[in-house]
Amino acid sequence: MSNAVSPLQGASFDGFARIEEQGLRGMITLRGDLADGGFGKAVAALTGCDVPDTRRCEVKGDYAVAWMSPDELLILCPHSAAEAGVAQLSKVLSGTHYLAANVSDARAVFRVSGEDARQVISKLAPVDMSPEAFGAGDFRRTRLAQTPAAFWMPNDKTIEFICFRSVADYVFALLSRAATPGTQV
């Protein structure tokens, strides 16, 4: 068995905002009827989080649950807990219509932090990043330049991103270039 490694080995860039590749993160795609009470109980038992509202992300300790679509959640957890999480969900949801898959090794996670973190995203994604329109706990699936991505704000000065591992280097370069000193909007 091979050892899992993060795509960019913790690369970082300091500009007018700090860009950091976050290393390995467990991720479980969970699809099913989000309104089903049993579905919500299974999610809460694994994560301690409720099923989030549309375009929101619930966080509790090392676990987070993000709304991806009307029938899909993304569960974030420690990398080492993803397989056991899939097994637990599969056991609890047995007999219902669902899909649980460990997608950890197919994704990369980045953090943009600092007073001007919103400016970095404003340059790259078609999302209103004003504090009135996007704040802590908000979640979006969108594109970063022309690359599919999803992001949320755990607090007012930090934005976390998920993208496909295959484009991690490109996304890191995009974020770094958008945070280059002297390019503030």
Side-chain angles (χ1 to χ4, degrees), residues 60-86:
K60 189 145 202 170
D62 289 338
Y63 286 82
V65 180
W67 182 93
M68 296 294 277
S69 73
D71 70 345
E72 181 181 1
L73 299 175
L74 180 65
I75 296 173
L76 297 124
C77 61
H79 190 267
S80 61
E83 279 300 319
V86 169

Side-chain angles (χ1 to χ4, degrees), residues 37-69:
F39 194 84
K41 286 179 185 175
V43 169
L46 177 63
T47 66
C49 299
D50 292 328
V51 171
D53 290 333
T54 302
R55 295 188 319 218
R56 298 285 296 167
C57 183
E58 299 288 329
V59 179
K60 189 145 202 170
D62 289 338
Y63 286 82
V65 180
W67 182 93
M68 296 294 277
S69 73

Side-chain angles (χ1 to χ4, degrees), residues 5-12 19-23 27 104-111 144 147-149 161-177:
V5 295
S6 69
L8 300 180
Q9 305 285 317
S12 64
I19 313 300
E20 303 168 273
E21 191 252 348
Q22 292 296 288
M27 291 181 228
S104 307
D105 296 336
R107 310 279 169 86
V109 181
F110 294 92
R111 176 178 291 146
L144 204 58
T147 303
F161 281 89
I162 300 168
C163 67
F164 291 114
R165 182 183 182 99
S166 61
V167 295
D169 191 47
Y170 172 70
V171 168
F172 181 76
L174 280 175
L175 293 169
S176 299
R177 192 158 304 227

